[in-house]
Amino acid sequence: MAQKVKLSTIADALGLSTATVSLALRDSPLVADVTRERIKDAARELGYIYNRRAASLRTSRSGIVGVCVHDVMNPFYGEILKSIETELDRQRQTFILCNHHDDLSKQRSFVDTLLQLGADGLIMSPALGTPAADIRLAEDNDLPVILIARTIDGAGVHGFRGDDAYGMGLAVDHLVSLGHRSIAMIGGTHATSTGREREAGYLAGLERGGIAFQPRWRIEGPRDRHSGFDSAATFLAMPDRPTAIVCFSDLVALGLMYGLARGGVRPGIDVAVVGYDDIDEAEIATPPLTTVSNGQSEVGECSARALIDRLQGTTASEQTTLIQPELKVRRSCGAGA
Amino acid sequence: MAQKVKLSTIADALGLSTATVSLALRDSPLVADVTRERIKDAARELGYIYNRRAASLRTSRSGIVGVCVHDVMNPFYGEILKSIETELDRQRQTFILCNHHDDLSKQRSFVDTLLQLGADGLIMSPALGTPAADIRLAEDNDLPVILIARTIDGAGVHGFRGDDAYGMGLAVDHLVSLGHRSIAMIGGTHATSTGREREAGYLAGLERGGIAFQPRWRIEGPRDRHSGFDSAATFLAMPDRPTAIVCFSDLVALGLMYGLARGGVRPGIDVAVVGYDDIDEAEIATPPLTTVSNGQSEVGECSARALIDRLQGTTASEQTTLIQPELKVRRSCGAGA
DNA sequence: GGAGAGGCCGAAATCGCTTGCAATTTCCGT
DNA sequence: ACGGAAATTGCAAGCGATTTCGGCCTCTCC
């Protein structure tokens, strides 16, 4: 390009001042319609490119929102992101993504970047072990934070997540109603609030069903497909195997089912399997996966909207809003359509 | 926060000028070691946050790189992204992600955003039908572009992708060597260069094997899991079914296998299935998926590096670099480990 | 003890846009 | 036609960091 086109270029070309041009381009009522059109035409013609850095330096509004999750490739977050994206697009906010992979230092450097860029807000599913102080740091520097999926005690910011304990209870209750008296839980750990909640729901469900929990029924682990796959071997090697399994997530369940199948055990026939999240793939899996819908899109939508509200000045809530989960009965639990 | 801490805040606190502070923080040799340390300590103490907008306004370097692909949830792109991320992190560049979902207008507005933010570069897998002019627009406005996965004729920018035709040929050759004489191809369309290349490779493979292509063997379609699942029905309904199937991608193959299984046809036993991409999941699928490794991480790494090179002044290449694919034989083709 | 050489540091101009306020023009009613 | 309200437009001061240049100090060495 020959020369950068800026406001003054347009102003000079039209014999106006940059002020008028600026106002016109932003559709201010202060400039006459004809002038505005003339200006817009000229801008288009000259190939003017709005310089957001300069603008935001002046206005301290960058139009950037950060989104930080464990891993976007995880379908669970993927669906949340999709609705966040839709909502943010509508507000003409650009969003910057970061996978922290539960690495605290990575998360910190991301937050730092956002601060440097003067981001308008941050929606995050905090990494394991994130101290409340990290959240405060952001908030104290005018970066509003909304938490999703996970909670942090004492952070004092608005959050959205599914009611994990209740949802997992739904799954266990269902299995109990099908007559199962020994139910394992695979995947997840105490390290995350989600892990703790879902395990609590599992235990509570057992108790409601009058079933005594056996420690060996609980196989902890990461939350991905591979981990589920690997857990299959552990499960298959169990003497006196449980007749049903609830999984921390669909991904774990899907991996587990691959593993069970390879071990000659048919999910949905030889053993009941239930997942959690109701990701797209659950429906077409073999067998279709019974699971708990966790309201991902609702979480995404609500969090984006909550952030936008805060940007527009509404005062912040400090509560965590729970989204109601829902059981989706399919074939993998042995019942179902 | 009480008051924003800026360079002058530090300068005042220490009785220095902002110039010295700026220089010190950027490790310039122009400032004495002791002074530098004093300044850095003060900055830390005061909670100074570097304002990139201001800096980039002055330097016209933003430290932002845009990455635009079809869909990050697609594991194929996911793996590319992972290596791009690693490489860019190393250069302390922030990256902004965009899923264009093959929507040209979405892609355009993303490019526009990057231009406004003064991004340093763009790595993209262009949406269907992206005209070369779109790429030129970016380049003309000082936004270097690197193309991945797909090519655009006449764009004249550097690109990286797997050698799709060759790779698909590998798959077909392998099936032929196993004795298959009727091979279907499922998924993909002519709309993308990838689709055309892979189909060409398929046809060439058939020809090498002395097999006459039958039009009904080609089931076109989108490139996701659902589409593969749906194609299973079409395939199963075929009179005189082919004994082997090559798929446009692993995702399609995986969905297809779910569909075949549901139809009572066992992949790897009743019909040979081969995927493309070698995503993580291929290895643990039931049966493990024979596929063609497409060098995703290499594409990611190379493209990021190429961009960085350009940022550092190396002149741009205009070629498309092909990455050599590799066949991974597993169970789904009926041979394999 | 004085001059020259370096090493450090400060003043000030810029980057491009926004915006409160002042200045100018247009337009009415009477 | 005239005064003043209404409608437009222009001025200029920032936003915060970078960077060139000139100037001040120390040191060193003769």
Side-chain angles (χ1 to χ4, degrees):
Chain A
M1 60 185 318
Q3 199 51 50
K4 206 164 293 179
V5 178
K6 42 188 176 177
L7 280 190
S8 65
T9 315
I10 302 179
D12 289 352
L14 263 40
L16 296 172
S17 78
T18 62
T20 310
V21 177
S22 169
L23 261 359
L25 291 178
R26 338 189 58 249
D27 287 323
S28 157
L30 292 177
V31 31
D33 287 355
V34 274
T35 314
R36 189 202 337 284
E37 285 315 314
R38 242 173 20 113
I39 291 176
K40 287 196 169 179
D41 287 347
R44 213 181 341 267
E45 195 129 343
L46 294 170
Y48 171 68
I49 290 175
Y50 180 70
N51 186 330
R52 276 213 225 182
R53 296 166 291 178
S56 97
L57 182 56
R58 193 65 229 273
T59 60
S60 61
R61 264 308 206 90
S62 61
I64 290 178
V65 169
V67 178
C68 189
V69 299
H70 175 79
D71 182 7
V72 281
M73 283 220 275
N74 183 317
F76 170 71
Y77 287 121
E79 288 179 37
I80 292 186
L81 285 185
K82 217 180 294 174
S83 32
I84 291 184
E85 188 180 350
T86 311
E87 208 60 40
L88 253 31
D89 259 12
R90 199 168 308 167
Q91 302 290 326
R92 335 207 94 268
Q93 293 270 343
T94 305
F95 76 91
I96 303 191
L97 215 55
C98 169
N99 301 318
H100 55 59
H101 295 292
D102 276 328
D103 176 347
L104 207 47
S105 69
K106 186 140 195 217
Q107 176 176 287
R108 288 202 174 116
S109 85
F110 180 64
V111 173
D112 200 48
T113 299
L114 290 180
L115 254 16
Q116 296 185 2
L117 290 174
D120 294 339
L122 166 61
I123 297 179
M124 79 188 305
S125 171
L128 295 188
T130 303
D134 280 26
I135 309 294
R136 298 309 326 161
L137 173 72
E139 285 272 347
D140 288 347
N141 284 90
D142 294 322
L143 181 67
V145 179
I146 305 276
L147 260 23
I148 54 176
R150 296 176 182 169
T151 327
I152 291 182
D153 292 334
V157 296
H158 203 2
F160 295 89
R161 63 180 183 85
D163 189 341
D164 295 303
Y166 174 80
M168 193 52 97
L170 247 35
V172 174
D173 290 349
H174 177 64
L175 289 171
V176 168
S177 78
L178 292 176
H180 293 280
R181 307 295 300 166
S182 55
I183 304 175
M185 174 171 174
I186 292 185
T189 68
H190 276 172
T192 63
S193 62
T194 316
R196 292 188 295 273
E197 289 284 328
R198 293 192 185 167
E199 184 176 298
Y202 159 70
L203 295 173
L206 289 183
E207 192 165 338
R208 267 198 304 280
I211 300 171
F213 168 67
Q214 313 281 329
R216 64 200 173 83
W217 290 353
R218 180 72 180 98
I219 305 179
E220 297 199 349
R223 310 170 293 294
D224 55 27
R225 204 187 288 264
H226 259 96
S227 146
F229 180 76
D230 294 340
S231 301
T234 315
F235 177 80
L236 291 173
M238 254 189 221
D240 202 14
R241 268 186 232 148
T243 59
I245 308 171
V246 292
C247 296
F248 174 84
S249 67
D250 282 357
L251 235 35
V252 169
L254 259 6
L256 174 75
M257 295 205 299
Y258 277 147
L260 292 176
R262 200 171 296 186
V265 169
R266 295 162 301 175
I269 298 176
D270 303 323
V271 59
V273 175
V274 179
Y276 204 107
D277 287 345
D278 192 25
I279 63 178
D280 279 348
E281 190 183 340
E283 196 175 353
I284 60 174
T286 322
L289 183 64
T290 293
T291 186
V292 178
S293 163
N294 205 7
Q296 288 90 313
S297 55
E298 210 175 333
V299 169
E301 202 178 312
C302 291
S303 56
R305 237 197 278 277
L307 181 60
I308 291 164
D309 281 352
R310 270 200 70 182
L311 296 190
Q312 290 168 352
T314 317
T315 52
S317 158
E318 298 195 358
Q319 310 161 15
T320 295
T321 305
L322 291 182
I323 309 284
Q324 211 54 218
E326 193 182 331
L327 185 70
K328 300 277 185 179
V329 177
R330 290 196 269 254
R331 286 246 162 75
S332 69
C333 61
Chain B
M1 60 185 318
Q3 200 51 50
K4 207 162 294 177
V5 179
K6 42 188 176 176
L7 279 191
S8 64
T9 314
I10 302 180
D12 289 351
L14 263 40
L16 296 172
S17 78
T18 61
T20 310
V21 177
S22 169
L23 261 1
L25 290 179
R26 337 191 60 250
D27 287 320
S28 156
L30 292 177
V31 32
D33 287 354
V34 274
T35 313
R36 192 207 328 288
E37 285 314 314
R38 249 178 9 119
I39 290 176
K40 286 196 172 179
D41 286 347
R44 214 181 340 267
E45 193 127 345
L46 294 170
Y48 171 68
I49 289 174
Y50 179 71
N51 187 328
R52 278 213 222 183
R53 295 167 292 178
S56 96
L57 181 56
R58 189 64 229 270
T59 61
S60 59
R61 264 305 205 92
S62 61
I64 290 178
V65 169
V67 179
C68 189
V69 299
H70 175 78
D71 182 6
V72 282
M73 284 223 273
N74 183 319
F76 170 70
Y77 287 121
E79 288 178 38
I80 292 186
L81 285 184
K82 216 179 295 174
S83 33
I84 290 184
E85 188 180 349
T86 312
E87 208 61 39
L88 252 30
D89 259 11
R90 197 169 308 167
Q91 302 290 326
R92 334 206 95 266
Q93 293 270 343
T94 305
F95 75 89
I96 302 189
L97 216 56
C98 169
N99 301 317
H100 55 57
H101 295 291
D102 277 329
D103 176 348
L104 207 47
S105 70
K106 189 144 191 214
Q107 176 176 286
R108 288 200 174 118
S109 85
F110 180 65
V111 173
D112 200 47
T113 300
L114 291 180
L115 254 15
Q116 296 185 2
L117 290 173
D120 294 339
L122 166 61
I123 297 179
M124 79 188 304
S125 171
L128 295 187
T130 303
D134 280 26
I135 308 294
R136 298 309 326 160
L137 173 71
E139 286 272 349
D140 288 347
N141 284 91
D142 295 322
L143 181 67
V145 178
I146 304 275
L147 258 26
I148 54 177
R150 294 175 184 171
T151 328
I152 291 181
D153 292 334
V157 295
H158 203 4
F160 295 89
R161 63 180 182 86
D163 188 341
D164 295 303
Y166 175 79
M168 194 51 96
L170 246 35
V172 174
D173 290 350
H174 176 66
L175 289 171
V176 168
S177 78
L178 292 176
H180 292 282
R181 307 296 299 166
S182 54
I183 304 175
M185 174 170 175
I186 292 184
T189 67
H190 276 171
T192 63
S193 62
T194 316
R196 290 188 295 272
E197 289 284 329
R198 293 193 184 167
E199 184 177 298
Y202 159 70
L203 295 174
L206 288 184
E207 190 164 341
R208 267 197 306 280
I211 299 173
F213 168 68
Q214 313 282 328
R216 66 200 171 81
W217 288 353
R218 181 73 181 96
I219 304 180
E220 298 199 351
R223 310 170 292 293
D224 55 26
R225 204 186 288 264
H226 258 97
S227 144
F229 181 77
D230 293 340
S231 300
T234 314
F235 177 80
L236 291 173
M238 254 189 221
D240 203 12
R241 269 185 232 149
T243 59
I245 308 172
V246 292
C247 295
F248 174 83
S249 68
D250 282 358
L251 234 35
V252 169
L254 259 7
L256 174 76
M257 294 204 300
Y258 276 147
L260 292 175
R262 198 169 296 186
V265 169
R266 296 162 300 175
I269 299 177
D270 302 324
V271 59
V273 175
V274 179
Y276 205 106
D277 287 345
D278 192 24
I279 63 177
D280 279 349
E281 190 183 341
E283 195 175 354
I284 61 175
T286 321
L289 183 64
T290 293
T291 186
V292 179
S293 164
N294 203 8
Q296 289 89 315
S297 54
E298 209 174 331
V299 168
E301 201 178 312
C302 290
S303 56
R305 236 197 278 278
L307 181 60
I308 291 164
D309 281 353
R310 268 200 71 182
L311 297 189
Q312 290 169 352
T314 317
T315 52
S317 156
E318 298 194 358
Q319 310 160 14
T320 295
T321 305
L322 291 182
I323 310 284
Q324 211 54 218
E326 194 182 332
L327 185 70
K328 300 276 185 180
V329 177
R330 290 194 269 255
R331 283 246 162 77
S332 70
C333 61

